[in-house]
């Protein structure tokens, strides 16, 4: 997912995520509560080089981070009309469901042909 926001909003978002991560760690949160914190995403990256993830395994390799940030900066230069052509914005859960449904349909087609 790609979001455009002012620098202050980005700073506040990352600070909020860090505080919530510390709260989750302190309370050894209930199963699945960490997933609720990120709403299905495994990490957040800003074009100002801030990276947030609940677990270090989800962090991009240090050598890959400049490439990720450069990609975000390129996306940020695109006009809003480009994003409008991509269609409606959905959630990660919606995208996962679409992919799953498509995979099941393709599998059913293969079984029907066999």
């Amino acid at each position: 997912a790609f979001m455009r926001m002012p620098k202050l909003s980005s700073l506040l978002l990352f600070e909020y995520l860090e505080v919530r991560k510390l709260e989750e760690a302190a309370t050894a949160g209930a199963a699945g509560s960490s997933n609720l914190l990120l709403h299905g995403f495994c990490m957040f990256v800003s074009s100002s080089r801030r990276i947030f993830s609940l677990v270090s395994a989800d962090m991009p390799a240090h050598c890959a981070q400049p490439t990720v940030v450069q990609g975000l900066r390129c996306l940020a230069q695109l006009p809003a009309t480009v994003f409008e052509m991509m269609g409606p914005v959905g959630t990660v859960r919606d995208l996962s469901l679409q992919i799953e449904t498509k995979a099941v349909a393709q599998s059913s087609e293969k079984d029907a042909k066999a």
Side-chain angles (χ1 to χ4, degrees), residues 33-83:
S33 59
S34 297
N35 190 30
L36 293 175
L37 173 62
L38 297 183
H39 298 280
F41 293 96
C42 63
M43 76 173 147
F44 287 93
V45 181
S46 79
S47 59
S48 60
R49 300 182 186 263
R50 292 197 67 167
I51 300 175
F52 174 85
S53 177
L54 291 172
V55 294
S56 58
D58 290 333
M59 297 288 283
H62 186 70
C63 62
Q65 291 177 8
T67 304
V68 172
V69 170
Q70 182 61 33
L72 286 173
R73 289 183 176 155
C74 289
L75 283 173
Q77 298 303 313
L78 294 174
T81 54
V82 171
F83 292 103

